[in-house]
Amino acid sequence: MVNTIKVTVWNEFRHEKEMEECKELYPEGMHSVIAEYLSELNMDVNKATLDEADHGLTEEVLDNTDVLIWWGHCAHNEVKDEVVDRVHQRVLSGMGLIVLHSGHFSKIFRKLMGSSCDLKWRCADEKERLWIVKPNHPIVKGLNKEYIELAEEEMYGEFFDIPEPDEIIFLSWFEGGELFRSGCTFSRGRGKIFYFRPGHETNPSYYNKDILKVIGNAVTWAADNSKLDVNFGNVQPLEEL
Amino acid sequence: MVNTIKVTVWNEFRHEKEMEECKELYPEGMHSVIAEYLSELNMDVNKATLDEADHGLTEEVLDNTDVLIWWGHCAHNEVKDEVVDRVHQRVLSGMGLIVLHSGHFSKIFRKLMGSSCDLKWRCADEKERLWIVKPNHPIVKGLNKEYIELAEEEMYGEFFDIPEPDEIIFLSWFEGGELFRSGCTFSRGRGKIFYFRPGHETNPSYYNKDILKVIGNAVTWAADNSKLDVNFGNVQPLEEL
Amino acid sequence: MVNTIKVTVWNEFRHEKEMEECKELYPEGMHSVIAEYLSELNMDVNKATLDEADHGLTEEVLDNTDVLIWWGHCAHNEVKDEVVDRVHQRVLSGMGLIVLHSGHFSKIFRKLMGSSCDLKWRCADEKERLWIVKPNHPIVKGLNKEYIELAEEEMYGEFFDIPEPDEIIFLSWFEGGELFRSGCTFSRGRGKIFYFRPGHETNPSYYNKDILKVIGNAVTWAADNSKLDVNFGNVQPLEEL
Amino acid sequence: MVNTIKVTVWNEFRHEKEMEECKELYPEGMHSVIAEYLSELNMDVNKATLDEADHGLTEEVLDNTDVLIWWGHCAHNEVKDEVVDRVHQRVLSGMGLIVLHSGHFSKIFRKLMGSSCDLKWRCADEKERLWIVKPNHPIVKGLNKEYIELAEEEMYGEFFDIPEPDEIIFLSWFEGGELFRSGCTFSRGRGKIFYFRPGHETNPSYYNKDILKVIGNAVTWAADNSKLDVNFGNVQPLEEL
């Protein structure tokens, strides 16, 4: 009775080919590690990358996507506006979107947020603690701890120029003195969006079981959507009620 | 793998015994109509009423309650503070709470909200339209319409003295010129709370299939809770990180 | 010690030239009526319209604008993207923005919101009641009533496809059975935004003293901005704390 | 034309009499330091303490209070319920309330919040950085920095069991690995509430110019209140509209 969730994991997939350190860590790409985890949850998982035709995000692929996961960094500008508009329309129509890490600066996230989405950052392999500040939320199901600790991560710091999130699930503490709203939900149209801060391309964050659990929970949360039909436009005439 | 949701439907259950009009409409009480519907959803349903010992809300009953539904009106003050405190603790610990209609003035709702919870009202069997303003929310799943129309209801009007809701799902339009935030979610501690405005004791709103669907969805939503353990108090010593 | 607020009232200013009914009602444009009121509040008021060079919104004009008011309808697409981007940057940097009525579909509002901003509408000169649901907010200062009634207005109805507002100040009830979130605040970057639903070009809403009072209050609210400097980008090195 | 703001600074005022360390730091009480600063802003300042009759919070005093500041810690339970109810009613009627530091556990704050208001803590004179995450808010006016740093403070950590704040202005980073939502606004009834985390009784935080500036701004913000009259109760009859 519960339908299988159809999820597409999108990755820029350049660092893994071009940076030795990243290639060793994620030989088949970060998206493949995430996709494998989601498959174990019995989700129907598809992978898509920048260098495919239409970036792997054709109308047909999106027709078969309940939730899209997005990782991008060095090539945000290579994503075609036409594809960004297509994804934007789908989100407004109810497709879920999980934006990871440097995806904060992707065209699609900025278009949905309406603000610059800029932030502070530092690459120093420093300690991050993601504190849970909404312990009743479905996205933290099964964590059994009060924070997730990552021994080495890139730092992202405030001010993070996003609109007020609907919900803040995680706040990150960093060794060097900064903090960050690192797990935030948003609603746009009928779509549900989750921004999740980890992981940097040279840190093994997507092998962390808790990080994977959060991503899996977020997909389930984003797919839990009524997607009611709504009508826009002219309503005529004025009825006698 | 999904656990059966345990729900307790609490009703003051006085109007149904004392008012002829109400007795005819709900001979076994409003709670029985709601309970029957929830049973059809394969929930594990319990009923409790004011005139039972401990108002039917013993620790044992609450141990077996994931979500509590509350309807009260003329006898709010007869609810013992001890029971109110017990329910309050349970909500903070993660039990879901659905407050219906005149339950806005119950001790438990006011204690959770911290404000007066006062409002305007008029009994004139007038038309109400509950417009959905969050069409992606799990609480409106399966409605397949943009508003629920009730031909005859009591009017509740703004200003409704509640804290800012976390989410507004429904806004009610009334024939006589008023409107109301009629479907609102709140979070207190680890508990999830939904206030839902219908139904007046002399109107057949709890026989309306859409109203029942919303109540059922709300129970499912409130039970979808990570209930992570949280520790409070002294944390010692200052670690070297 | 309090600086004079510099406000620019922008209007498409086409209906007033092209529609007889509108010309009679607002011979010098809706913006002129609003501007006159704001001048009486001792604000420093400038007017700008679509058909001026750069739509009257040069960098120099914006340098002298604390808060921009926007009314547009039939010619949204004639607003140059370059000017939209310029205004967008200014809002993110802290300029206030008041978007009126059909401005919901303007390029600038949609760019800031990230959603379609679509809605239902009906032109039937019907009654609107704007109920105040946040009676402690500076935007409703001095109203001394619980709702503003307009005898004849265009209807706007839900679902209004906007992100969750930071605050809902007004909810509108309409004679024909619809309702609308008609006074909403948003934050984007360091800018403060207020969307306010009235007034249709053939209705005299901008002559209504309460509507004018709300617009004046909103300008004062939007100009009440710390505009703290924020730094983005690389933070180096990892300090010993 | 702008009325002078009437502020009452309430302090438990026990530590300053009983703890040598605190007595030396604040010989006339923390409230006196805050009161002196507010006087310099030309506010009309009154002081009140626990051991006065009615805790110094008579109806007459509250009649002359636009905003009440609250500091308490070891003697929360000595505050009479009657006075708590009196203050609660005033807040719902529009009096502003600024709750400082250990006031998170005061009867009045808990009554207004409806949750336990519990948290983690550690007394280790550790470094705190209060990061500003809402740089356009009136409460951070004039700070000219991105965070306030306090060399030595008590740590407060999440999960902080409060309802979702209306706005989060500050997030605190602590040396020992925790973080905290340390500057939060709430609305209850027509009252505006600000919770601000510093300062521990043995740390000189209330001598810090930035902390004082925030408190002063918060008083101004809380006093900026429309306080519209609202009517509750029966509305009769159903009008023909």
Side-chain angles (χ1 to χ4, degrees):
Chain A
M1 198 159 129
V2 173
N3 292 317
T4 302
I5 296 172
K6 289 173 280 187
V7 56
T8 296
V9 189
W10 191 90
N11 187 8
E12 190 178 278
F13 198 30
R14 289 276 177 85
H15 291 308
E16 294 95 330
K17 296 176 194 163
E18 295 165 5
M19 293 173 68
E20 203 52 46
E21 196 182 352
C22 185
K23 189 187 294 186
E24 278 178 33
L25 192 56
Y26 296 109
E28 293 174 70
M30 291 176 271
H31 58 305
S32 297
V33 175
I34 294 168
E36 192 182 341
Y37 172 75
L38 299 176
S39 296
E40 290 166 14
L41 301 180
N42 294 317
M43 293 179 181
D44 184 353
V45 186
N46 177 36
K47 297 190 281 187
T49 57
L50 180 66
D51 292 330
E52 296 171 55
D54 264 9
H55 312 319
L57 298 172
T58 59
E59 296 285 6
E60 198 188 342
V61 165
L62 296 175
D63 282 345
N64 286 290
T65 301
D66 296 317
V67 181
L68 177 65
I69 297 180
W70 194 278
W71 197 103
H73 181 218
C74 62
H76 291 316
N77 286 334
E78 294 182 42
V79 179
K80 284 181 284 186
D81 288 341
E82 181 198 337
V83 175
V84 173
D85 290 347
R86 190 184 298 162
V87 172
H88 186 251
Q89 280 308 314
R90 294 283 176 154
V91 171
L92 298 189
S93 300
M95 183 181 72
L97 181 70
I98 315 295
V99 175
L100 297 174
H101 193 62
S102 41
H104 75 91
F105 246 2
S106 62
K107 286 183 177 177
I108 182 62
F109 190 61
R110 296 171 72 179
K111 188 177 178 80
L112 284 160
M113 295 296 106
S115 57
S116 77
C117 301
D118 212 341
L119 46 77
K120 290 185 184 60
W121 58 273
R122 175 176 55 230
C123 280
D125 287 339
E126 69 194 277
K127 185 178 291 188
E128 174 178 13
R129 279 188 179 176
L130 296 110
W131 284 91
I132 295 162
V133 297
K134 209 157 172 56
N136 63 9
H137 202 281
I139 283 181
V140 296
K141 221 176 267 185
L143 283 184
N144 297 325
K145 54 187 59 172
E146 298 198 73
Y147 59 85
I148 300 172
E149 186 161 310
L150 300 171
E152 300 192 335
E153 254 291 353
E154 184 181 4
M155 180 278 287
Y156 277 9
E158 296 280 345
F159 176 60
F160 183 20
D161 184 16
I162 48 171
E164 289 303 304
D166 294 354
E167 302 166 307
I168 301 179
I169 319 287
F170 292 99
L171 290 174
S172 280
W173 174 99
F174 289 96
E175 192 180 342
E178 284 85 4
L179 47 70
F180 195 72
R181 290 171 288 172
S182 56
C184 299
T185 72
F186 303 91
S187 189
R188 289 293 179 277
R190 288 174 291 157
K192 296 169 77 173
I193 301 166
F194 181 57
Y195 174 79
F196 192 45
R197 202 212 73 82
H200 186 56
E201 62 269 16
T202 58
N203 298 123
S205 301
Y206 296 129
Y207 290 107
N208 181 292
K209 286 191 186 331
D210 293 324
I211 297 300
L212 286 172
K213 187 165 283 190
V214 171
I215 294 172
N217 287 341
V219 170
T220 303
W221 167 83
D224 186 20
N225 189 327
S226 304
K227 285 196 204 180
L228 288 193
D229 279 335
V230 286
N231 296 310
F232 295 121
N234 200 349
V235 180
Q236 287 290 11
L238 179 60
E239 299 171 66
E240 283 305 306
L241 289 170
Chain B
M1 198 158 130
V2 173
N3 293 317
T4 303
I5 296 171
K6 290 173 281 188
V7 57
T8 296
V9 189
W10 192 90
N11 187 8
E12 193 179 275
F13 198 30
R14 290 275 177 85
H15 291 307
E16 295 94 331
K17 297 176 194 161
E18 297 167 3
M19 293 173 67
E20 203 52 46
E21 195 183 352
C22 184
K23 190 187 293 186
E24 279 177 33
L25 192 56
Y26 296 109
E28 295 174 68
M30 290 177 271
H31 57 304
S32 297
V33 175
I34 294 169
E36 192 182 341
Y37 172 75
L38 298 177
S39 296
E40 290 166 13
L41 301 181
N42 295 316
M43 292 179 182
D44 184 352
V45 186
N46 177 38
K47 297 190 281 185
T49 57
L50 180 66
D51 292 330
E52 297 172 54
D54 264 11
H55 313 318
L57 297 173
T58 59
E59 295 285 6
E60 199 188 341
V61 165
L62 295 176
D63 282 345
N64 286 290
T65 301
D66 297 318
V67 179
L68 177 65
I69 297 180
W70 194 278
W71 198 103
H73 181 219
C74 61
H76 291 315
N77 285 334
E78 293 182 41
V79 180
K80 285 182 284 188
D81 288 340
E82 181 198 337
V83 174
V84 173
D85 290 347
R86 190 183 298 161
V87 172
H88 186 250
Q89 280 308 314
R90 295 282 176 155
V91 172
L92 298 189
S93 300
M95 184 180 73
L97 181 70
I98 314 296
V99 175
L100 297 175
H101 192 61
S102 42
H104 76 90
F105 245 3
S106 62
K107 285 182 177 178
I108 182 61
F109 190 61
R110 294 171 73 178
K111 188 177 179 78
L112 285 161
M113 295 295 106
S115 57
S116 77
C117 301
D118 212 340
L119 47 77
K120 290 186 184 62
W121 56 275
R122 176 176 53 230
C123 280
D125 289 339
E126 69 195 277
K127 184 179 293 191
E128 174 178 13
R129 280 188 178 176
L130 296 109
W131 283 92
I132 296 163
V133 296
K134 208 157 171 58
N136 63 9
H137 201 281
I139 283 181
V140 295
K141 220 175 268 184
L143 283 183
N144 296 324
K145 54 186 60 172
E146 298 198 72
Y147 59 85
I148 301 171
E149 185 161 309
L150 300 171
E152 299 192 337
E153 254 292 351
E154 183 180 4
M155 180 280 286
Y156 278 10
E158 296 281 346
F159 174 62
F160 183 20
D161 183 16
I162 47 171
E164 289 304 304
D166 294 354
E167 302 167 307
I168 302 177
I169 319 287
F170 291 98
L171 291 173
S172 279
W173 174 99
F174 289 95
E175 192 180 341
E178 286 84 4
L179 47 73
F180 195 72
R181 290 171 288 172
S182 57
C184 299
T185 72
F186 303 91
S187 188
R188 290 292 180 276
R190 286 174 292 156
K192 296 168 78 173
I193 301 165
F194 181 57
Y195 173 79
F196 192 45
R197 204 211 72 82
H200 186 56
E201 62 270 15
T202 58
N203 298 124
S205 300
Y206 296 129
Y207 291 107
N208 181 293
K209 287 190 186 333
D210 293 324
I211 297 299
L212 286 171
K213 186 165 285 191
V214 170
I215 293 173
N217 287 342
V219 171
T220 303
W221 167 84
D224 186 20
N225 188 326
S226 303
K227 286 197 203 180
L228 287 193
D229 279 334
V230 287
N231 297 307
F232 296 121
N234 200 347
V235 180
Q236 287 290 9
L238 178 59
E239 298 171 66
E240 284 303 308
L241 290 170
Chain C
M1 198 158 129
V2 173
N3 292 319
T4 303
I5 295 172
K6 290 173 280 188
V7 56
T8 296
V9 189
W10 191 89
N11 187 7
E12 190 179 278
F13 198 30
R14 289 276 177 83
H15 291 306
E16 295 95 330
K17 296 175 194 163
E18 295 166 5
M19 292 173 66
E20 203 52 47
E21 196 181 352
C22 184
K23 190 188 291 187
E24 279 178 33
L25 191 57
Y26 295 110
E28 294 174 70
M30 290 177 272
H31 58 304
S32 297
V33 175
I34 294 169
E36 191 180 344
Y37 171 75
L38 299 175
S39 295
E40 290 165 14
L41 302 180
N42 295 316
M43 292 178 182
D44 184 352
V45 185
N46 177 37
K47 297 190 281 186
T49 55
L50 180 67
D51 292 330
E52 296 172 55
D54 265 9
H55 312 318
L57 297 172
T58 60
E59 295 285 6
E60 199 187 344
V61 167
L62 295 176
D63 282 343
N64 286 290
T65 301
D66 296 317
V67 180
L68 176 64
I69 297 179
W70 194 278
W71 198 105
H73 181 218
C74 61
H76 291 316
N77 285 333
E78 294 182 41
V79 179
K80 284 181 284 187
D81 289 339
E82 181 198 337
V83 174
V84 173
D85 290 346
R86 190 184 296 162
V87 172
H88 186 251
Q89 279 308 313
R90 294 285 176 154
V91 172
L92 298 189
S93 301
M95 183 180 75
L97 180 70
I98 315 295
V99 175
L100 297 174
H101 193 61
S102 41
H104 75 90
F105 245 3
S106 62
K107 286 182 177 178
I108 182 61
F109 190 60
R110 295 172 71 178
K111 188 178 179 79
L112 285 160
M113 295 296 107
S115 57
S116 77
C117 301
D118 212 340
L119 47 75
K120 290 185 183 61
W121 57 273
R122 174 176 55 230
C123 280
D125 288 340
E126 69 196 277
K127 185 179 291 189
E128 174 178 12
R129 279 187 179 179
L130 296 109
W131 284 92
I132 295 163
V133 295
K134 207 158 172 56
N136 63 9
H137 201 281
I139 283 181
V140 295
K141 221 175 267 185
L143 284 184
N144 296 325
K145 56 186 57 171
E146 297 198 73
Y147 59 84
I148 301 171
E149 185 162 309
L150 300 171
E152 300 192 336
E153 254 292 353
E154 183 181 4
M155 181 280 285
Y156 278 8
E158 298 279 348
F159 176 59
F160 183 19
D161 184 16
I162 47 171
E164 289 303 302
D166 294 353
E167 303 167 307
I168 302 179
I169 319 289
F170 291 99
L171 290 174
S172 279
W173 174 98
F174 288 95
E175 193 180 340
E178 285 84 5
L179 47 71
F180 195 72
R181 290 171 289 173
S182 57
C184 300
T185 72
F186 304 90
S187 189
R188 289 294 180 276
R190 287 174 293 158
K192 296 169 78 174
I193 302 166
F194 181 57
Y195 174 78
F196 192 44
R197 203 211 71 83
H200 186 56
E201 63 269 15
T202 58
N203 298 122
S205 301
Y206 296 129
Y207 290 107
N208 181 292
K209 286 191 185 333
D210 293 323
I211 297 298
L212 286 171
K213 186 165 285 190
V214 170
I215 293 172
N217 287 343
V219 170
T220 302
W221 167 84
D224 186 19
N225 188 326
S226 303
K227 285 196 204 179
L228 287 194
D229 279 334
V230 286
N231 296 309
F232 296 120
N234 200 347
V235 180
Q236 287 290 8
L238 178 60
E239 297 172 67
E240 283 304 305
L241 290 169
Chain D
M1 197 159 128
V2 173
N3 293 319
T4 302
I5 296 172
K6 290 174 280 187
V7 56
T8 296
V9 189
W10 191 90
N11 186 8
E12 190 179 275
F13 198 30
R14 290 275 176 85
H15 291 306
E16 295 95 329
K17 296 175 193 162
E18 296 166 5
M19 292 173 66
E20 203 52 45
E21 197 183 351
C22 184
K23 190 188 292 184
E24 279 179 32
L25 192 57
Y26 295 110
E28 294 174 69
M30 290 176 273
H31 59 303
S32 296
V33 175
I34 293 169
E36 192 182 342
Y37 172 76
L38 298 176
S39 296
E40 290 166 13
L41 301 181
N42 296 316
M43 292 178 182
D44 185 352
V45 186
N46 177 37
K47 296 190 283 187
T49 57
L50 180 66
D51 292 329
E52 296 172 57
D54 266 9
H55 313 318
L57 297 172
T58 59
E59 296 284 6
E60 198 188 343
V61 166
L62 295 176
D63 282 345
N64 286 289
T65 301
D66 296 317
V67 180
L68 177 65
I69 297 179
W70 194 279
W71 197 104
H73 181 219
C74 61
H76 290 315
N77 285 333
E78 294 183 41
V79 179
K80 286 182 283 188
D81 289 340
E82 180 197 336
V83 174
V84 174
D85 290 346
R86 190 184 297 160
V87 172
H88 186 250
Q89 280 308 314
R90 294 285 176 153
V91 172
L92 298 189
S93 300
M95 182 180 74
L97 180 70
I98 315 294
V99 175
L100 296 174
H101 192 62
S102 40
H104 74 91
F105 245 3
S106 61
K107 286 182 177 178
I108 181 62
F109 190 60
R110 293 171 73 179
K111 189 179 178 76
L112 285 160
M113 295 295 107
S115 56
S116 77
C117 300
D118 212 340
L119 46 76
K120 289 186 184 61
W121 58 274
R122 174 176 55 230
C123 280
D125 288 341
E126 69 195 276
K127 184 178 292 188
E128 175 178 12
R129 278 188 180 176
L130 297 109
W131 284 92
I132 296 162
V133 295
K134 209 160 170 54
N136 63 11
H137 201 280
I139 283 181
V140 295
K141 221 175 265 185
L143 283 184
N144 296 325
K145 55 187 58 170
E146 297 197 72
Y147 59 85
I148 301 172
E149 185 161 309
L150 300 172
E152 300 191 338
E153 254 292 351
E154 183 181 4
M155 181 280 287
Y156 277 9
E158 296 282 344
F159 173 62
F160 183 20
D161 184 16
I162 48 171
E164 290 302 303
D166 294 353
E167 302 167 308
I168 301 178
I169 319 289
F170 291 99
L171 289 174
S172 279
W173 173 99
F174 290 95
E175 193 180 340
E178 285 84 6
L179 47 71
F180 195 73
R181 289 170 290 172
S182 56
C184 299
T185 72
F186 303 92
S187 189
R188 289 294 179 276
R190 285 174 294 157
K192 295 169 79 174
I193 302 166
F194 181 58
Y195 173 79
F196 192 44
R197 204 211 71 83
H200 185 57
E201 62 269 15
T202 58
N203 298 123
S205 301
Y206 296 129
Y207 290 108
N208 181 293
K209 287 191 185 331
D210 293 323
I211 297 299
L212 286 171
K213 185 164 286 189
V214 171
I215 294 172
N217 287 342
V219 171
T220 303
W221 168 84
D224 185 20
N225 188 327
S226 304
K227 286 195 206 182
L228 287 194
D229 280 334
V230 285
N231 297 309
F232 296 121
N234 200 347
V235 181
Q236 288 288 8
L238 178 61
E239 298 173 66
E240 285 303 307
L241 290 170

